[in-house]
Amino acid sequence: MKLKKQVTVCGAAIFCVAVFSLYLMLDRVQHDPTRHQSGGNFPRSQISVLQNRIEQLEQLLEENHEIISHIKDSVLELTAHAEGQPALPQHPLNGSWVLPPENRPSFLSVSPQDCQFALGGKGQSPDLQMLAVYSLLPFDNQDGGVWKQGFDITYEPNEWDTEPLQVFVVPHSHNDPGWIKTFDKYYYDQTQHILNSMVLKMQEDPRRRFIWSEISFFSKWWDNISAQKRAAVRRLVGNGQLEMVTGGWVMADEANSHYFAMIDQLIEGHQWLEKNIGVTPRSGWAVDPFGYSSTMPYLLKRSNLTAMLIQRVHYAIKKHFAATQNLEFMWRQTWDPDTSTDILCHMMPFYSYDVPHTCGPDPKICCQFDFKRLPGGRINCPWKVPPRAITDANVAERAQLLLDQYRKKSKLYRSKVLLVPLGDDFRYDKPQEWDAQFLNYQRIFDFLNSRPDLHVQAQFGTLSDYFDALYKKVGIVPGMRPPGFPVLTGDFFSYADREDHYWTGYFTSRPFYKSLDRVLEAHLRGAEILYSLALAHSRRAGADGRYPLSDYALLTNARRNLGLFQHHDAIAGTAKEAVAVDYGVRLLQSLTNLKRVIINAAHYLVLGDKDTYRHDPAAPFLGMDETRSSQDSLPERTVVKLGTSPRFLVVFNPLEQERLSVVPVLVDSPHVRVLSEEGQPLPSQLSAVWSSATDAVPNVYQVSVLARLPALGLRVLQLHKALDGHATPRSSTRLYLHGRDVPVRKPEALPLHVFPAAADDFCLENQHLQACFLGRTGLLQSLRPAGEEQAHRVSSEFLVYGTRTSKDKSGAYLFLPDGEAKPYAPKDPPVVRVMEGPLYSEVASYYQHVQTVVRLYNVPGVEGLSLDVSCLVDIRDHINKELALRFSTDIESDDTFFTDLNGFQIQPRRYQRKLPLQANFYPMPAMAYIQDMQSRLTLLTAQALGVSSLHSGQLEVILDRRLMQDDNRGLGQGLKDNKRTCNRFRLLLERRAVGSSSGFFSKLVSMFKALSFPGTRTGSPEVQDERPISFPSLLSHITSVHQNAEALVMPVALEKPALPALRSFVPLATTLPCDFHILNLRTLQAEDDSLPSAEAALILHRKGFDCSLEAKNLGFNCTTSQGKLALGGLFQGLELGSLQPTSLTLMYPLGTASNSTNIHLDPMEIATFRIRLG
């Protein structure tokens, strides 16, 4: 009791000091006679005075923040000795479950400087902002003549007299790691022959050049060639004939991929190149992804690449940029206050990356210079004019014809240096094609270069040869901004290649595998971190001889399989059915292997006596939490069998923050108690497990435990068979049959009430939130946050899109709906099941094609602040239909909504009425939201899907699509291999702090805005500022990582009492600032690449966040530190032997390794450190 009083006193002290300090601060600033209220038009003499005032204010805020930190640390020390278990639930007479308030206080202490970032205001405006470009363009698709989607290009013959045209023809072969054939079949049929011929043919003439992108293929080939051939490859790379471009494991999809996986496949490729060839990529090459995210230029820039190329951009944007000579630009991040994220980007101007669409505007002419299509070959020119071999007799005429195309193409760019790609899918697979292309082009080049009157210099080149020549021509260092080149911000979604054919279907295609991708990603991150920690601890204890180092090969294999799946025909869902199965088999194999890696690491780390550690692959110490019987089946959770002896569980929290989570475990008896490692009872709930709407699974029960899990740590729990009187609190269930005559199999030992009719409307609530549902459908109707009198309309409904009756129909790539969605109308009304319990309550609605469960956690902290929504979808009997879930609200969002890019950043969107419905869908890998002045509704997702807001106050997501035909983009199949797929979401409603009752703090925010943007509207939503930038709240970020990194439950396999002593593993000695995310702790390979080295890559991301949304009751201590972090004492029981900042993919050291272990990160930045733990 005495301790609680101390805690209360200290808490009150914090509040008083904070309020008093801020009051004094405001008083000093606002009563300053030198500060005029003149809307920001200050005389010059007073600007310096204002700057001094701002600096004083910042200093006061800093001092205030430090005072709070000191008091908070004292309170934490006091509470650290208090009982750390959450309190047990109580069940009062009125029937609602109540959790007593937490006996550990939680803090939200955000430095005001950290709020400044989201307000922005620094830096220059870009020349090209993609949201503004979309608003500007008419999208009228006028016929441009020979360049159908462009315009007629003219030039004066003497334009190059003073500065000759410099042409670089870049031979390339685009190799898809799986599409029509599997990765292995492509390799054996084509890729190995391309690379074998390359080594041979490139050595015949030193003027020849070639570029290669996909390291997944290259590494497989490397493993199968002789030392002599490897030496030849190194020579070709060394002398500049062969360039490795981008250097990722694959050419990644940029719509559906998550930034963890994008970075991981880039590291895997770059590490392979450095180790085997000793080369670091300089330029990015992405000719085939179906639209481009602004995340990729950031990742390439931080990997030290200086330039990049893109191709699949909406034809109207290409035309506009060509007409204004903006096809080359510096691509900058929207949130970048200076130029540190700028990277030069070259956009190809025409329809495709094949030869007919790369030499110039007229494909009929360009096709005549694709010498693989010479008469007698297997492919020809659709324009009916074949190529002709170049001879002395025709070289003058042929060279002039080609030069005309080169000149016309060069008119679309600002410099007199021209890039002309020469290649296509799986080109150069036969020696004859190498001869046909290289010999004929060399004859043309020799002729052009021998004629000074033509003012042209033409040659083969690599991508970097082109960029180097461009930089040399303008006289600046590679990586800098060429004079006059525009700065662009934004992204290039959504893509259309012709007419109204928008590639927005692939944002959802094959959602089963999009979901499996994220499950594997979460396991890979967890396995990497736990393996690195276990290895470091075992080395420190001298036990690494007994630790299974062979697990490193399993990690490498999983990195490569996850990397392979980031390919733009894999995660996109646009490969043949057999290829999708091949990817699935690889993903599942790696998932199983990673569970093994996690189990082995957890086994070592929880042992009280490490000397008792024995690795036995045949009899693992821990069991798996779930298994999957095949690559296309949903997981089946492990049932723990209870006996006379206690069963132990080890729970892994992959988050870098402590979390208070409801941990579900399946058991074979309703008589169960859950205790902490010390034997204290934990809050828990017993529920039935259902195999269908009305069938409870016999002899299986779910016990859900509320447990506090250490950051990145392992918590030991005990399951005991309970005696009467000590059993776990039980949930009760109401089943509404809606007039349907269906048999009911009741759960044993749990109360179930069956109602033949439909329910009346009803609500569920916890201490944060009330959610109300429509009785006859079981679907959400409204949300009311605690403390608000009025509920917000948040209603959900299912809808169905059809496809067109015309020739062009929806397929794996394209979304071509037959109009607006129609309401989903199943033949039977739903069975609705309502379950209420102490830790969570849920509503399950069973429809014919979708089963939806909305769960409300009755727990303090993050999990209780949002709704958990899952949809189990099965549309295998649909024909040409797409199922959508729409939320309709009273939020006045107008035409604006926000979607994330790769889980890394937020991109504002605008519903464009001038474009067709399908053009307004965007990728949603992690979240989307709508907002107005009062509130924000965020839909957070555990898998990538397509999303839009078609009307004010709406958000809708496409759950699955079943399409019976090909959409004429080369696949040759529809989408008919649908699976039962579980889509998981969180729905978060947040209030804006500005304008709410917290007037004091809103006064502070308003004052900051007045100082930052004199003369702007305060409190206006971001998109109404002319700054196209927005950020999630801290709560939204944390909810997202909770959803994507679930706690893993591993039962100790031994059921005997003779267990070694187990103790929880707490790896972090201090709490990480809650805007920091440990993206990875990746053990690096040794010389033998199947074994680990003593070094690891620590990759950190500091998140940008919006402070204007209220953040209360987070349930853990959330502080920010202005980007400062002391890594030296972060890992408990381990020393940081060395710390070297590097480029993102570890190719370049940044600065010298210093003795200091204190680091600083700016908001949004990702930084990699090469560290040695031991």
Side-chain angles (χ1 to χ4, degrees):
M1 204 57 207
K2 188 179 175 188
L3 181 62
K4 284 197 175 177
K5 281 184 181 172
Q6 288 175 308
V7 171
T8 310
V9 169
C10 289
I14 288 179
F15 184 74
C16 293
V17 170
V19 170
F20 188 62
S21 309
L22 287 167
Y23 178 76
L24 285 176
M25 214 161 55
L26 281 170
D27 197 51
R28 280 177 60 177
V29 173
Q30 296 198 323
H31 291 90
D32 185 345
T34 61
R35 190 175 180 275
H36 291 267
Q37 303 296 318
S38 57
N41 300 318
F42 297 103
R44 280 189 180 279
S45 60
Q46 290 176 359
I47 288 176
S48 58
V49 176
L50 176 62
Q51 282 173 336
N52 289 338
R53 293 293 174 206
I54 293 172
E55 281 164 20
Q56 284 175 5
L57 179 59
E58 284 178 346
Q59 194 177 341
L60 280 162
L61 283 166
E62 183 60 36
E63 288 167 11
N64 173 61
H65 189 62
E66 282 177 21
I67 293 166
I68 292 176
S69 295
H70 288 312
I71 299 174
K72 187 189 69 202
D73 289 342
S74 311
V75 175
L76 283 177
E77 280 175 38
L78 284 170
T79 54
H81 306 296
E83 179 54 65
Q85 306 296 352
L88 293 170
Q90 296 160 353
H91 194 253
L93 294 173
N94 69 359
S96 291
W97 288 93
V98 177
L99 276 177
E102 269 247 86
N103 52 14
R104 283 178 51 165
S106 63
F107 292 97
L108 176 70
S109 174
V110 176
S111 164
Q113 283 91 328
D114 292 337
C115 294
Q116 274 292 83
F117 178 73
L119 298 174
K122 294 178 181 171
Q124 300 169 319
S125 295
D127 306 291
L128 301 167
Q129 205 297 308
M130 288 312 299
L131 204 58
V133 170
Y134 259 81
S135 299
L136 176 81
L137 293 185
F139 293 94
D140 51 0
N141 194 21
Q142 293 182 357
D143 191 328
V146 292
W147 176 19
K148 196 168 172 50
Q149 296 172 332
F151 46 84
D152 197 29
I153 306 171
T154 57
Y155 62 85
E156 298 298 324
N158 60 359
E159 284 188 45
W160 292 272
D161 287 5
T162 54
E163 194 182 348
L165 182 64
Q166 204 174 350
V167 180
F168 288 91
V169 173
V170 179
H172 69 98
S173 179
H174 179 64
N175 282 236
D176 289 304
W179 181 39
I180 305 301
K181 302 177 186 178
T182 64
F183 172 76
D184 285 337
K185 184 130 181 60
Y186 270 138
Y187 173 77
Y188 289 115
D189 289 357
Q190 284 151 292
T191 306
Q192 63 169 336
H193 305 303
I194 296 167
L195 292 169
N196 285 331
S197 301
M198 181 268 297
V199 180
L200 207 63
K201 291 293 177 183
M202 296 288 279
Q203 293 181 90
E204 290 179 4
D205 186 338
R207 295 173 296 180
R208 293 181 178 179
R209 298 287 183 273
F210 196 63
I211 62 171
W212 189 265
S213 160
E214 301 81 7
I215 305 304
S216 48
F217 275 130
F218 203 87
S219 68
K220 186 176 177 72
W221 174 67
W222 188 265
D223 291 342
N224 289 294
I225 61 174
S226 64
Q228 188 183 0
K229 205 176 261 189
R230 288 180 180 183
V233 171
R234 289 191 186 103
R235 279 197 303 277
L236 289 170
V237 170
N239 68 19
Q241 282 185 264
L242 171 64
E243 183 184 12
M244 310 307 284
V245 287
T246 310
W249 201 245
V250 295
M251 188 184 289
D253 175 43
E254 300 189 20
N256 303 292
S257 49
H258 191 260
Y259 77 120
F260 172 95
M262 291 171 82
I263 293 169
D264 207 63
Q265 64 87 28
L266 210 51
I267 292 176
E268 194 60 31
H270 286 188
Q271 292 288 291
W272 189 92
L273 283 172
E274 186 178 49
K275 183 174 183 292
N276 292 283
I277 304 181
V279 65
T280 55
R282 296 173 50 211
S283 303
W285 172 263
V287 288
D288 205 25
F290 325 134
Y292 298 91
S293 162
S294 48
T295 304
M296 189 57 95
Y298 173 75
L299 301 181
L300 297 181
K301 173 74 173 185
R302 291 293 175 258
S303 302
N304 257 28
L305 277 73
T306 52
M308 61 184 291
L309 172 146
I310 60 176
Q311 149 62 19
R312 287 193 185 271
V313 171
H314 194 299
Y315 60 87
I317 291 170
K318 286 189 171 212
K319 178 181 177 177
H320 174 64
F321 281 13
T324 51
Q325 286 192 324
N326 286 333
L327 288 164
E328 288 181 320
F329 49 85
M330 299 305 285
W331 199 345
R332 180 179 297 169
Q333 299 304 304
T334 51
W335 39 265
D336 182 6
D338 48 44
T339 61
S340 79
T341 60
D342 287 14
I343 184 170
L344 177 64
C345 182
H346 171 102
M347 183 189 292
M348 292 167 61
F350 307 123
Y351 172 75
S352 169
Y353 55 82
D354 61 7
V355 182
H357 295 96
T358 45
C359 88
D362 190 343
K364 181 177 177 180
I365 293 173
C366 291
C367 194
Q368 298 170 46
F369 295 90
D370 182 358
F371 296 103
K372 181 173 179 155
R373 301 179 197 241
L374 284 165
R378 283 188 309 160
I379 56 167
N380 53 28
C381 284
W383 296 271
K384 303 287 190 286
V385 184
R388 305 201 319 251
I390 304 301
T391 62
D392 289 345
N394 69 11
V395 66
E397 177 261 327
R398 303 311 287 167
Q400 286 280 9
L401 187 64
L402 184 58
L403 178 59
D404 176 60
Q405 290 297 305
Y406 287 170
R407 285 174 169 175
K408 283 174 176 168
K409 182 177 180 179
S410 86
K411 289 289 290 177
L412 307 179
Y413 293 89
R414 290 174 188 251
S415 85
K416 297 286 198 314
V417 185
L418 182 66
L419 170 66
V420 181
L422 181 69
D424 202 344
D425 292 2
F426 294 95
R427 281 301 189 88
Y428 301 97
D429 61 342
K430 292 188 172 58
Q432 297 89 308
E433 184 184 355
W434 286 86
D435 292 340
Q437 303 285 28
F438 281 94
L439 294 173
N440 282 299
Y441 267 96
Q442 195 59 58
R443 288 176 194 133
I444 293 172
F445 296 161
D446 290 346
F447 174 81
L448 291 173
N449 298 341
S450 67
R451 293 276 306 276
D453 57 309
L454 294 177
H455 305 286
V456 63
Q457 174 70 39
Q459 64 204 72
F460 292 117
T462 63
L463 185 58
S464 291
D465 286 341
Y466 166 74
F467 284 123
D468 286 346
L470 173 62
Y471 276 116
K472 188 175 177 186
K473 184 79 91 174
V474 295
I476 58 168
V477 180
M480 301 301 287
R481 177 182 175 187
F485 277 43
V487 171
L488 177 143
T489 63
D491 68 340
F492 296 100
F493 290 116
S494 290
Y495 166 59
D497 58 348
R498 59 178 187 256
E499 297 153 15
D500 61 354
H501 291 196
Y502 283 84
W503 296 44
T504 51
Y506 83 99
F507 301 157
T508 292
S509 297
R510 294 199 172 109
F512 179 90
Y513 294 108
K514 285 175 163 66
S515 175
L516 184 55
D517 161 77
R518 291 281 273 279
V519 172
L520 180 62
E521 178 184 298
H523 277 75
L524 178 58
R525 178 181 167 275
E528 295 272 20
I529 292 170
L530 217 51
Y531 176 84
S532 296
L533 292 171
L535 195 60
H537 279 280
S538 65
R539 280 183 173 141
R540 191 169 174 86
D544 48 326
R546 285 179 288 133
Y547 193 79
L549 300 181
S550 56
D551 278 4
Y552 191 74
L554 301 181
L555 276 178
T556 300
N557 178 259
R559 292 167 180 171
R560 293 178 174 185
N561 280 338
L562 180 69
L564 186 70
F565 196 67
Q566 304 316 303
H567 162 52
H568 55 265
D569 287 305
I571 192 171
T574 55
K576 290 264 193 197
E577 288 177 15
V579 179
V581 170
D582 182 63
Y583 289 133
V585 167
R586 290 169 184 269
L587 295 177
L588 178 58
Q589 176 201 31
S590 287
L591 182 60
T592 307
N593 286 341
L594 290 173
K595 285 184 184 292
R596 211 169 294 160
V597 174
I598 290 170
I599 281 167
N600 290 337
H603 176 194
Y604 180 80
L605 292 168
V606 294
L607 283 178
D609 180 3
K610 303 286 189 256
D611 292 338
T612 62
Y613 178 76
R614 295 290 177 275
H615 171 59
D616 182 357
F621 181 72
L622 297 169
M624 293 189 185
D625 57 328
E626 60 184 30
T627 53
R628 292 177 186 243
S629 56
S630 66
Q631 57 86 24
D632 60 354
S633 60
L634 290 168
E636 293 169 30
R637 287 159 56 206
T638 304
V639 180
V640 178
K641 293 182 167 53
L642 299 178
T644 49
S645 306
R647 291 296 306 270
F648 287 85
L649 303 173
V650 175
V651 186
F652 172 42
N653 171 22
L655 300 187
E656 59 282 293
Q657 301 290 348
E658 176 185 85
R659 78 202 274 179
L660 188 61
S661 275
V662 175
V663 178
V665 186
L666 295 189
V667 292
D668 65 348
S669 166
H671 307 292
V672 60
R673 292 175 71 213
V674 188
L675 307 180
S676 69
E677 144 189 25
E678 301 82 15
Q680 297 293 322
L682 291 174
S684 55
Q685 164 177 332
L686 192 73
S687 314
V689 177
W690 298 85
S691 58
S692 73
T694 56
D695 285 343
V697 180
N699 305 318
V700 178
Y701 303 86
Q702 176 167 300
V703 60
S704 303
V705 195
L706 183 61
R708 192 174 285 284
L709 307 175
L712 298 179
L714 299 160
R715 175 91 190 264
V716 177
L717 304 176
Q718 309 180 40
L719 294 179
H720 287 251
K721 199 139 191 182
L723 303 167
D724 289 341
H726 291 287
T728 291
R730 299 173 181 212
S731 58
S732 66
T733 303
R734 306 191 302 276
L735 190 59
Y736 298 94
L737 300 180
H738 215 122
R740 290 168 64 179
D741 183 18
V742 282
V744 176
R745 183 160 62 182
K746 296 189 174 187
E748 297 166 37
L750 286 163
L752 172 71
H753 306 283
V754 180
F755 300 89
D760 295 328
D761 294 356
F762 61 93
C763 301
L764 300 176
E765 64 182 300
N766 64 13
Q767 64 266 51
H768 307 300
L769 199 58
Q770 181 191 64
C772 294
F773 299 82
L774 211 56
R776 59 187 170 77
T777 64
L779 297 180
L780 183 66
Q781 282 298 102
S782 66
L783 286 175
R784 184 174 63 80
E788 288 193 20
E789 287 179 19
Q790 197 68 37
H792 296 258
R793 181 168 80 97
V794 183
S795 63
S796 62
E797 61 181 320
F798 292 103
L799 303 155
V800 176
Y801 284 97
T803 190
R804 296 181 178 178
T805 51
S806 62
K807 175 172 67 81
D808 297 308
K809 292 181 168 64
S810 297
Y813 302 92
L814 305 184
F815 180 33
L816 295 171
D818 58 356
E820 293 201 0
K822 320 262 186 318
Y824 167 63
K827 65 175 195 281
D828 295 311
V831 171
V832 176
R833 200 176 60 231
V834 183
M835 188 272 285
E836 293 191 62
L839 296 184
Y840 70 89
S841 299
E842 69 182 23
V843 182
S845 306
Y846 284 78
Y847 291 89
Q848 187 184 350
H849 301 98
V850 58
Q851 167 199 333
T852 178
V853 179
V854 180
R855 181 178 289 187
L856 182 61
Y857 285 100
N858 185 30
V859 299
V862 174
E863 295 201 349
L865 291 164
S866 58
L867 279 182
D868 188 300
V869 180
S870 66
C871 296
L872 184 59
V873 177
D874 186 352
I875 57 168
R876 286 176 292 182
D877 65 349
H878 272 347
I879 291 176
N880 277 331
K881 295 283 190 285
E882 312 197 19
L883 185 68
L885 170 62
R886 178 183 290 168
F887 294 96
S888 301
T889 74
D890 46 20
I891 291 172
E892 295 174 2
S893 57
D894 298 328
D895 60 357
T896 300
F897 60 110
F898 302 80
T899 67
D900 76 289
L901 291 168
N902 317 103
F904 174 63
Q905 58 185 327
I906 297 294
Q907 179 64 48
R909 308 289 184 193
R910 219 169 254 143
Y911 178 77
Q912 300 284 353
R913 286 176 180 78
K914 62 189 170 189
L915 293 178
L917 181 147
Q918 64 269 23
N920 288 288
F921 275 80
Y922 293 94
M924 175 183 64
M927 67 176 76
Y929 53 82
I930 51 173
Q931 64 184 21
D932 60 16
M933 304 277 277
Q934 278 74 45
S935 47
R936 175 186 287 185
L937 182 77
T938 306
L939 181 68
L940 299 118
T941 177
Q943 60 289 304
L945 296 166
V947 74
S948 188
S949 173
L950 300 177
H951 296 280
S952 180
Q954 285 186 359
L955 261 184
E956 77 175 65
V957 56
I958 308 287
L959 299 175
D960 200 1
R961 40 205 322 263
R962 182 170 174 82
L963 301 158
M964 313 315 284
Q965 62 284 311
D966 181 45
D967 51 8
N968 300 311
R969 293 304 184 276
L971 180 60
Q973 278 184 352
L975 279 179
K976 295 186 279 192
D977 57 345
N978 303 71
K979 323 287 180 204
R980 286 179 75 239
T981 299
C982 189
N983 291 316
R984 293 173 38 246
F985 308 101
R986 283 280 178 95
L987 197 61
L988 175 64
L989 180 65
E990 296 175 283
R991 288 183 291 202
R992 288 201 175 275
V994 178
S996 70
S997 57
S998 54
F1000 180 82
F1001 291 97
S1002 84
K1003 191 175 177 185
L1004 181 67
V1005 173
S1006 300
M1007 195 189 70
F1008 259 125
K1009 284 198 168 183
L1011 290 173
S1012 307
F1013 315 106
T1016 62
R1017 298 183 303 276
T1018 52
S1020 60
E1022 293 92 326
V1023 80
Q1024 287 164 18
D1025 271 340
E1026 285 311 302
R1027 303 185 55 260
I1029 187 166
S1030 187
F1031 297 94
S1033 64
L1034 267 176
L1035 173 58
S1036 185
H1037 278 307
I1038 294 159
T1039 305
S1040 183
V1041 294
H1042 268 243
Q1043 185 182 27
N1044 283 282
E1046 294 183 306
L1048 285 179
V1049 184
M1050 297 164 279
V1052 174
L1054 297 169
E1055 296 173 39
K1056 304 177 201 63
L1059 263 184
L1062 305 179
R1063 64 163 183 253
S1064 294
F1065 169 64
V1066 181
L1068 299 186
T1070 56
T1071 305
L1072 225 62
C1074 56
D1075 55 347
F1076 271 78
H1077 175 50
I1078 296 180
L1079 203 55
N1080 211 345
L1081 179 60
R1082 185 187 211 261
T1083 296
L1084 300 174
Q1085 63 184 26
E1087 271 311 300
D1088 173 352
D1089 59 14
S1090 67
L1091 292 174
S1093 71
E1095 291 186 319
L1098 174 64
I1099 309 175
L1100 299 172
H1101 175 206
R1102 185 178 170 207
K1103 301 191 172 188
F1105 59 91
D1106 185 342
C1107 291
S1108 75
L1109 297 142
E1110 286 185 357
K1112 295 175 182 170
N1113 312 311
L1114 292 180
F1116 72 101
N1117 299 316
C1118 174
T1119 63
T1120 65
S1121 59
Q1122 293 155 62
K1124 300 189 192 81
L1125 181 61
L1127 289 176
L1130 184 61
F1131 296 101
Q1132 197 154 271
L1134 294 172
E1135 283 176 19
L1136 195 60
S1138 64
L1139 175 73
Q1140 170 65 62
T1142 70
S1143 58
L1144 182 62
T1145 58
L1146 298 113
M1147 303 286 263
Y1148 300 88
L1150 302 177
T1152 52
S1154 71
N1155 292 330
S1156 170
T1157 55
N1158 296 330
I1159 63 150
H1160 175 265
L1161 267 188
D1162 285 326
M1164 290 303 295
E1165 292 289 357
I1166 301 172
T1168 301
F1169 302 89
R1170 191 185 285 268
I1171 66 169
R1172 194 180 288 259
L1173 283 174

